[in-house]
């Protein structure tokens, strides 16, 4: 179900992008449908908040770039409020039992303080290779999560994994290098910022930018749920 959510992530963003830019309510219906077939019976709260984190970041970016006038801003706020209420109510059949489960888990683990954390396992370089949760080289209790991590440093894997990350950022280059015309430079810029931000956050408190996540983790209660950062931010 986690993979299903991430497969649907581009479609979820597409529907939200349409709502924000075209102000057409039918896309809200599409979004409600997509959230129900991709995220129902969710079990991991921070994972299933990923699409809404993406939407929130885009909404903030849209306001900064487009600077809408007062009337448009009111309409956008109204749309997002209605969107939030409808999404919440339409998914309540799994949100309600999940809420009770998470509360009981929170109480049983002394405020989640006894749950294991993976904020500094693996290496920062592994996360730059885009190998996601495979970058976790550590053990949990008595067994290695990924025993084949000993093979990660083979030259072939080093070259191919770094190369895949580099290729994924080619779209940032100016159009004249790619021999194409950009139809939406704002959107390209947004995804460039999102990608770099994700690379920083998915590494947890490791690497030169580890202080960013460490600050968020210590001062924003919601981030206490992000105990395995690479599992939540890699999809972005």
């Amino acid at each position: 179900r986690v993979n299903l959510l991430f497969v649907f992530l581009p479609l979820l963003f597409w529907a939200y992008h349409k709502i924000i830019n075209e102000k057409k309510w039918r896309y809200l219906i599409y979004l409600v449908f997509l959230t129900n077939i991709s995220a129902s019976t969710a079990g991991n709260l921070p994972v299933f908040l990923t699409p809404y984190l993406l939407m929130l970041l885009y909404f903030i970016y849209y306001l900064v770039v487009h600077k809408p006038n007062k009337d448009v801003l009111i309409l956008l706020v109204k749309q997002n409020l209605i969107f939030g209420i409808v999404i919440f109510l339409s998914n309540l059949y799994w949100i309600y039992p999940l809420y009770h489960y998470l509360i009981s888990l929170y109480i049983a683990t002394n405020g989640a303080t006894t749950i294991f954390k993976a904020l500094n396992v693996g290496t920062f370089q592994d996360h730059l290779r885009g190998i996601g949760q495979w970058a976790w080289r550590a053990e949990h209790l008595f067994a290695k999560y990924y025993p084949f991590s000993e093979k990660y440093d083979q030259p072939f894997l080093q070259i191919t994994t770094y190369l895949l990350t580099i290729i994924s950022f080619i779209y940032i280059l100016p159009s004249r290098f790619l021999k194409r015309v950009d139809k939406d430079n704002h959107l390209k810029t947004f995804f460039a910022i999102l990608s770099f931000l994700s690379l920083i956050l998915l590494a947890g408190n490791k690497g030169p930018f580890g202080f960013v996540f460490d600050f968020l983790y210590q001062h924003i209660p919601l981030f206490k749920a992000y105990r395995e950062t690479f599992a939540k931010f890699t999809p972005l």
Side-chain angles (χ1 to χ4, degrees):
R1 62 190 181 189
V2 172
N3 290 333
L4 182 64
L5 176 70
F6 297 152
V7 166
F8 274 89
L9 193 56
L11 285 176
L12 291 165
F13 177 80
W14 165 81
Y16 185 74
H17 182 267
K18 288 289 187 181
I19 292 173
I20 294 297
N21 288 275
E22 298 186 13
K23 316 294 188 298
K24 293 180 180 178
W25 292 99
R26 71 171 183 269
Y27 292 107
L28 178 57
I29 299 175
Y30 298 161
L31 200 52
V32 169
F33 175 72
L34 289 170
T35 58
N36 273 271
I37 64 175
S38 64
S40 61
T41 64
N44 192 317
L45 182 62
V47 169
F48 285 88
L49 283 177
T50 301
Y52 307 103
L53 175 62
L54 173 60
M55 295 171 195
L56 174 63
L57 292 173
Y58 179 71
F59 181 62
I60 295 172
Y61 177 80
Y62 180 90
L63 295 180
V64 172
V65 171
H66 294 278
K67 298 179 175 62
N69 58 44
K70 183 178 178 181
D71 292 336
V72 175
L73 180 60
I74 291 174
L75 176 61
L76 287 170
V77 172
K78 185 189 301 183
Q79 280 183 324
N80 277 274
L81 286 175
I82 294 174
F83 157 72
I85 293 171
V86 172
I87 292 296
F88 177 78
L89 293 177
S90 65
N91 286 273
L92 199 57
Y93 65 93
W94 64 261
I95 292 177
Y96 184 72
L98 176 63
Y99 164 78
H100 281 278
Y101 165 72
L102 292 175
I103 289 297
S104 63
L105 184 64
Y106 184 83
I107 295 173
T109 57
N110 191 28
T113 57
T114 59
I115 299 178
F116 76 96
K117 295 187 290 290
L119 300 180
N120 57 0
V121 296
T123 67
F124 181 68
Q125 290 74 22
D126 277 344
H127 292 295
L128 291 180
R129 295 163 64 186
I131 56 179
Q133 59 190 29
W134 290 5
W136 185 359
R137 293 171 178 251
E139 298 179 358
H140 175 50
L141 298 180
F142 58 87
K144 288 186 176 180
Y145 255 49
Y146 300 100
F148 46 90
S149 62
E150 298 173 357
K151 305 294 183 181
Y152 291 173
D153 297 320
Q154 290 182 346
F156 177 76
L157 284 179
Q158 286 275 358
I159 294 172
T160 53
T161 50
Y162 276 118
L163 188 60
L164 285 172
T165 303
I166 293 171
I167 290 174
S168 70
F169 280 96
I170 284 181
Y171 72 93
I172 296 175
L173 293 175
S175 302
R176 62 179 179 273
F177 291 107
L178 303 179
K179 297 181 179 180
R180 62 170 170 77
V181 177
D182 286 321
K183 295 182 179 180
D184 193 342
N185 280 309
H186 291 315
L187 198 57
K188 186 177 78 168
T189 303
F190 168 72
F191 277 109
I193 295 172
L194 179 70
S195 299
F196 283 115
L197 180 63
S198 301
L199 281 174
I200 292 173
L201 292 178
L202 68 86
N205 55 17
K206 300 183 294 296
F209 304 105
F211 68 91
V212 176
F213 181 85
D214 196 55
F215 176 84
L216 296 173
Y217 190 83
Q218 298 297 333
H219 294 89
I220 300 180
L222 178 63
F223 270 80
K224 293 292 184 182
Y226 289 88
R227 297 172 295 103
E228 301 167 74
T229 54
F230 43 81
K232 281 75 176 181
F233 294 108
T234 300
L236 293 180

